[in-house]
Amino acid sequence: NSRLADAIRARLAAAGIGGRATVRTGPLAEGCPDLAPFDAILVNGAVEMRPDGLLEQLAPSGRLACLRRVGGGVSRAVLFVRSG
């Protein structure tokens, strides 16, 4: 949703970190390989499976936070950390 992305960009700018953060909309699986690697990725929404494409875009020790659907309309907050 572009309105949500615009609101997030404005808040990041107001907090003084707009130049150090990227807000993207579009297909989740693609991520943003042209700007990788990332220290952190936050997914706004839930994923069905482990987002391997995004995990590959993390820097060493980078973190990815998202909700992961576990079934029955239930999601679990998950924090992935890239190691090795």
Side-chain angles (χ1 to χ4, degrees):
N1 171 320
S2 63
R3 282 182 57 195
L4 177 60
D6 290 341
I8 292 169
R9 285 184 192 101
R11 289 190 177 145
L12 290 171
I17 57 174
R20 298 185 327 221
T22 300
V23 178
R24 284 282 178 104
T25 60
L28 179 64
E30 292 176 16
C32 191
D34 54 319
L35 297 176
F38 296 100
D39 294 324
I41 297 174
L42 173 63
V43 176
N44 180 31
V47 297
E48 297 284 334
M49 301 168 50
R50 190 174 86 170
D52 290 328
L54 295 178
L55 294 172
E56 291 173 6
Q57 295 177 33
L58 289 173
S61 301
R63 298 155 322 277
L64 184 145
C66 64
L67 295 177
R68 187 163 181 197
R69 290 189 182 104
V70 293
V74 176
S75 296
R76 173 176 293 160
V78 180
L79 177 66
F80 295 96
V81 179
R82 184 169 188 175
S83 63

